[in-house]
Amino acid sequence: MDRPSASRQTVPEEDIIEAKAFVDLFMIAPQTLVDQAEFRCMQLAVGCAISLPSAPAIGLNRVLGIVALEDLNTAYEWMSKKAGRRYLQMNAATAPQQTHDWIRKRGLVPQGNGWAKLRRTAPSTPLIHSGEVATRQVKVTEAEIFGSMMCAGFNFPANLTPLWSAIVGKDGWSCFFAELDGRPIATGAMYTADGFAWLGGGATVPEFRNRGAQKALITARLNRGASQGVQTFVVETAQPSADEPNISHANLIVAGFEQIYTRTNYRFPDGS
């Protein structure tokens, strides 16, 4: 079977909702953080290019959901002027040959095992989580605590706390704590739009890992989304391998998610 041409290739809904979440994250970020951290985002068609050089995460320094070569050129030129490590994320298995040629021509190189993209439908009845960990939604007055926990969990510099604090209480966003004996020990976030929900922000305080916090947070977000009319949930995590297992991936599979593809992370050449 021939691969689709770049002009006919379409962006999956599972990537569109993810791009929407990060565009919205940029739109609600405090202007002082945008200015001081040189946080930038450009929306192209249904995808985006996003740059936050001081964040070590690929998720905030990447091109996502863009398939047309003209748009890829625009995103590449834009991203090439940014600092830090930068990536193009692409489902290599469905990308047309001309896109692979474009990637090679610009010196973008695959790095790591890539990301697993997973999806599941909404539960038909509320799910029940049993265990010592409880969950609840984050109050607006706890936004800074939520933001600081996420920064600590993802090894972000503390000055990026306002980035994650800003989503608490905002339209489209639901933020959760997992608690043990009344103490917040983990975070989880969800962005919803057009019947889809993107799950992210899963971070656990190191000394409380392997206690079931993320399983509880997955359940809480599935129930919350279903009550809001979400029909499809999507999430991404590091692609596991025999040498590098991934607990998050295992938790999602147990929770009913199905992996739909693996996304390759193509790193921009240094100095581009």
Side-chain angles (χ1 to χ4, degrees):
M1 180 179 294
D2 293 336
R3 281 176 165 169
S5 70
S7 60
R8 298 199 311 270
Q9 190 184 10
T10 58
V11 180
E13 291 284 355
E14 294 83 7
D15 287 358
I16 294 174
I17 183 63
E18 182 185 346
K20 283 182 178 179
F22 279 85
V23 170
D24 197 71
L25 175 67
F26 172 75
M27 295 298 292
I28 62 180
Q31 190 61 45
T32 51
L33 182 142
V34 171
D35 294 339
Q36 293 170 3
E38 298 183 333
F39 189 19
R40 301 290 184 267
C41 181
M42 176 177 63
Q43 188 167 8
L44 276 170
V46 294
C48 68
I50 191 164
S51 172
L52 183 55
S54 57
I58 292 175
L60 286 161
N61 293 281
R62 60 176 170 157
V63 175
L64 165 71
I66 297 174
V67 297
L69 290 181
E70 180 180 356
D71 290 340
L72 282 172
N73 277 320
T74 300
Y76 178 83
E77 293 300 323
W78 184 88
M79 188 65 92
S80 293
K81 298 178 176 66
K82 308 306 176 190
R85 293 185 175 183
R86 299 142 299 158
Y87 297 84
L88 166 67
Q89 293 192 315
M90 183 77 64
N91 181 356
T94 60
Q97 186 59 50
Q98 62 200 96
T99 300
H100 286 277
D101 294 342
W102 182 93
I103 289 170
R104 281 194 296 270
K105 182 178 178 181
R106 279 151 186 81
L108 276 67
V109 179
Q111 181 169 310
N113 294 332
W115 284 10
K117 188 75 179 189
L118 302 101
R119 173 184 65 197
R120 70 154 286 168
T121 56
S124 56
T125 57
L127 302 175
I128 298 174
H129 176 75
S130 59
E132 59 181 345
V133 176
T135 59
R136 66 173 177 86
Q137 285 194 255
V138 180
K139 302 173 185 176
V140 174
T141 54
E142 300 170 313
E144 187 172 352
I145 298 172
F146 178 83
S148 64
M149 286 181 64
M150 280 190 61
C151 281
F154 291 116
N155 198 30
F156 281 20
N159 67 323
L160 295 182
T161 293
L163 174 66
W164 300 118
S165 300
I167 67 176
V168 178
K170 294 298 193 300
D171 288 344
W173 291 93
S174 299
C175 300
F176 289 87
F177 281 140
E179 293 185 325
L180 189 61
D181 298 326
R183 172 186 172 178
I185 62 168
T187 60
M190 177 174 68
Y191 177 79
T192 60
D194 305 320
F196 282 81
W198 171 81
L199 307 187
T204 304
V205 176
E207 60 264 36
F208 292 102
R209 288 174 182 160
N210 301 316
R211 303 285 287 271
Q214 289 304 322
K215 290 180 181 177
L217 287 165
I218 292 168
T219 298
R221 286 175 287 179
L222 289 172
N223 286 338
R224 171 68 174 167
S227 73
Q228 295 176 314
V230 170
Q231 298 172 327
T232 304
F233 295 81
V234 304
V235 63
E236 60 283 338
T237 187
Q239 173 65 41
S241 67
D243 296 330
E244 298 181 48
N246 183 345
I247 294 175
S248 295
H249 187 277
N251 287 340
L252 290 163
I253 295 296
V254 169
F257 281 82
E258 176 187 6
Q259 182 167 339
I260 54 175
Y261 71 83
T262 300
R263 181 190 293 162
T264 302
N265 296 320
Y266 294 96
R267 184 174 171 181
F268 277 55
D270 293 335
S272 62

